[in-house]
Amino acid sequence: QPRGFNSSTHPKVVCRLKKSLYGLKQAPRAWHSKITQYLHHIGFHMSKSDNSLYIRSDSESPIVIILYVDDLVIGIEHLFEIHRVKSLISDKFEITNMKELHYFLGIEVIWSPAGIMISQRHCILNLWYKFGMIECKSVATPLDRNLKLDADSGTTTCEPTQYRQLIGSVIYLTITRPDLSYPVGLLSQFMQTPRDIHLDCAKRVLRYVSGTMDCGILYKTAMPIRLEGYTDANWADYKADRRSTFGFVFSLGSGAISMSSKKQPTVTLSSTEAEYRGATVAACEVVWLKRILKDLGVPIK
């Protein structure tokens, strides 16, 4: 029995634990199930393409909620509806005062008359302090164009833990920096036994980021909503296993919404085959993007 409980009136009564949402292995699953059930109750439905996306389309314009653990991002076209949604959620859960979005999961959102820009300036500053590169000089490109990396090049005096931490941190920057997709995908292939030349290239990526810290993705307000995509492949780019590298980027309006750069899982026999394999993966990405945009009610071309 807990402290303060009067056991004289009910000597055989104890407190029964219904369910704990914190401290248990199943706590994240229990919390997600609880809030999903309530969002369904107030009219939202989960997107089939993304389990963290909830949509309510019974009003004039769709209402979108993005869920990450206990952080919510609400997207509403008309501001007068935000109070009704906040009141519905606050009836069940204790929430803080939600204002205009400026920072979410390390991503900065900058509002302007020209549109919305997302960047990760604060994350880049943290990387400078973490890896001791505050006074480094910036470079114009993330990698040398003529440099060919393989697993056996250079010496083995590199600290693997430092290299893995650096690559793992830079991977997160690719959310708002499509130009980092290829160098990060290339350097992540040497995570098991990195060498000095690999670490030097990873630090060069940070030096490049230091000179382009204010860059990001801008979604202009006056741009037509048009889904455009580009894909390319480089045949037998990696010497060790002769696999090809392929990549794609898709933009909606003026800003990129999906990008990737990686090695192909199988060895291709020609540049044409490498291009077709890359185009096939890009076509699958188009299907997934169209499903999400359809759930959001976005008319696309």
Side-chain angles (χ1 to χ4, degrees), residues 139-249:
V139 292
T141 58
L143 289 178
D144 188 358
R145 292 183 55 187
N146 300 321
L147 181 64
K148 298 294 183 181
L149 296 177
D150 54 57
D152 299 327
S153 58
T155 58
T156 58
T157 58
C158 172
E159 177 63 33
T161 302
Q162 181 186 8
Y163 182 81
R164 293 163 188 165
Q165 291 177 350
L166 177 56
I167 297 300
S169 301
V170 178
I171 286 177
Y172 186 67
L173 298 180
T174 58
I175 298 175
T176 60
R177 298 294 299 271
D179 53 337
L180 299 179
S181 297
Y182 174 74
V184 171
L186 177 63
L187 295 174
S188 61
Q189 301 174 16
F190 312 107
M191 300 280 276
Q192 184 174 1
T193 55
R195 295 174 177 257
D196 287 346
I197 188 172
H198 304 145
L199 181 60
D200 292 340
C201 292
K203 290 183 177 180
R204 179 187 172 93
V205 174
L206 277 185
R207 292 171 59 194
Y208 166 74
V209 171
S210 66
T212 58
M213 184 168 45
D214 295 329
C215 293
I217 301 178
L218 174 63
Y219 300 96
K220 297 181 180 180
T221 55
M223 293 291 294
I225 301 177
R226 181 181 178 88
L227 182 64
E228 295 182 351
Y230 302 89
T231 179
D232 193 12
N234 192 3
W235 179 54
D237 184 54
Y238 191 51
K239 297 180 180 179
D241 52 12
R242 302 293 295 175
R243 293 186 183 182
S244 305
T245 303
F246 76 100
F248 62 81
V249 59

Side-chain angles (χ1 to χ4, degrees), residues 1 93 101 124 136 152 156 163 195 228 233 235 290 301:
Q1 294 179 351
F93 306 101
L101 180 63
I124 297 174
C136 65
D152 299 327
T156 58
Y163 182 81
R195 295 174 177 257
E228 295 182 351
W235 179 54
K290 285 186 175 181
K301 297 181 180 180

Side-chain angles (χ1 to χ4, degrees), residues 61-64 74-83 85-86:
S61 60
I63 304 173
V64 179
I74 304 176
I76 298 179
E77 183 176 356
H78 303 289
L79 293 178
F80 65 87
E81 295 183 354
I82 187 67
H83 301 288
V85 176
K86 289 171 61 176

Side-chain angles (χ1 to χ4, degrees), residues 122-142:
H122 186 69
C123 292
I124 297 174
L125 292 175
N126 290 337
L127 291 181
W128 286 1
Y129 287 101
K130 182 177 180 179
F131 296 101
M133 300 187 64
I134 302 176
E135 299 180 355
C136 65
K137 296 182 179 180
S138 61
V139 292
T141 58

Side-chain angles (χ1 to χ4, degrees), residues 27-170:
R29 183 177 181 178
W31 162 248
H32 186 268
S33 177
K34 186 180 184 64
I35 192 170
T36 299
Q37 183 180 3
Y38 182 73
L39 290 177
H40 281 301
H41 175 69
I42 60 178
F44 287 88
H45 66 275
M46 182 188 297
S47 173
K48 296 181 180 179
S49 304
D50 193 341
N51 293 336
S52 63
L53 180 63
Y54 298 85
I55 305 168
R56 180 176 176 177
S57 55
D58 56 352
S59 57
E60 297 180 359
S61 60
I63 304 173
V64 179
I65 292 181
I66 300 175
L67 174 65
Y68 181 81
V69 189
D70 58 348
D71 294 329
L72 297 176
V73 176
I74 304 176
I76 298 179
E77 183 176 356
H78 303 289
L79 293 178
F80 65 87
E81 295 183 354
I82 187 67
H83 301 288
R84 182 165 59 91
V85 176
K86 289 171 61 176
S87 62
L88 289 174
I89 299 177
S90 60
D91 290 341
K92 183 68 175 180
F93 306 101
E94 182 180 352
I95 61 175
T96 57
N97 186 19
M98 292 181 287
K99 299 180 180 180
E100 192 176 69
L101 180 63
H102 291 284
Y103 197 82
F104 183 71
L105 299 180
I107 301 175
E108 298 180 49
V109 182
I110 304 172
W111 301 79
S112 67
I116 300 174
M117 181 177 179
I118 59 176
S119 66
Q120 292 172 281
R121 178 186 175 90
H122 186 69
C123 292
I124 297 174
L125 292 175
N126 290 337
L127 291 181
W128 286 1
Y129 287 101
K130 182 177 180 179
F131 296 101
M133 300 187 64
I134 302 176
E135 299 180 355
C136 65
K137 296 182 179 180
S138 61
V139 292
T141 58
L143 289 178
D144 188 358
R145 292 183 55 187
N146 300 321
L147 181 64
K148 298 294 183 181
L149 296 177
D150 54 57
D152 299 327
S153 58
T155 58
T156 58
T157 58
C158 172
E159 177 63 33
T161 302
Q162 181 186 8
Y163 182 81
R164 293 163 188 165
Q165 291 177 350
L166 177 56
I167 297 300
S169 301
V170 178

